[in-house]
Amino acid sequence: MAGEPQEDCLFCKIAEGHIPATIVRETGTTVAFRDINPQAPTHVLVIPKVHYENAAELAAAEPAIAADVLREAKSVAEEDKLESYRIVFNTGSGAGQTVWHAHAHVLGGRGLHWPPG
């Protein structure tokens, strides 16, 4: 059921504390942790504790929690003292989504060119 933890979801397991991660922030609704394959000096994933497949589904079902994810992305950037940063939500395999749990990538600490490629 949407919103409920999924037994086969890596990010649900991280949110529940069943799989270790380098957690940098946690709130009642979100968890932020360092990406294990960083693409920039700062590469942190911010996930909602509720399970939705992608950011669009999360925003439609629980807009307040979607806002929490963005708020925490900003807090991560501030804590890492980033003057410039990018927040990325991949939706679908063609866009690079590999974990089917909504999440934001916070990237910074180096030049981020456009288009991203």
Side-chain angles (χ1 to χ4, degrees):
M1 173 184 270
E4 296 296 320
Q6 304 295 304
E7 287 185 24
D8 61 343
C9 176
L10 172 67
F11 288 174
C12 287
K13 291 176 182 178
I14 289 172
E16 293 173 339
H18 299 304
I19 292 179
T22 304
I23 296 177
V24 297
R25 293 186 57 81
E26 184 168 4
T27 70
T29 59
T30 66
V31 177
F33 55 94
R34 302 257 174 222
D35 194 293
I36 62 168
N37 185 27
Q39 302 300 304
T42 292
H43 189 168
V44 173
L45 302 177
V46 182
I47 65 169
K49 289 183 177 179
V50 293
H51 181 92
Y52 289 91
E53 188 170 292
N54 58 54
E57 287 184 7
L58 173 65
E62 307 218 31
I65 295 177
D68 291 345
V69 169
L70 286 171
R71 189 175 304 106
E72 286 305 302
K74 177 183 184 289
S75 295
V76 164
E78 289 174 347
E79 285 185 1
D80 275 20
K81 298 180 182 11
L82 299 176
E83 292 182 22
S84 298
Y85 58 96
R86 182 172 290 158
I87 301 170
V88 177
F89 291 93
N90 297 323
T91 301
S93 57
Q97 185 175 6
T98 58
V99 178
W100 302 100
H101 182 119
H103 58 284
H105 296 256
V106 181
L107 299 152
R110 68 167 173 83
L112 298 169
H113 306 287
W114 194 260

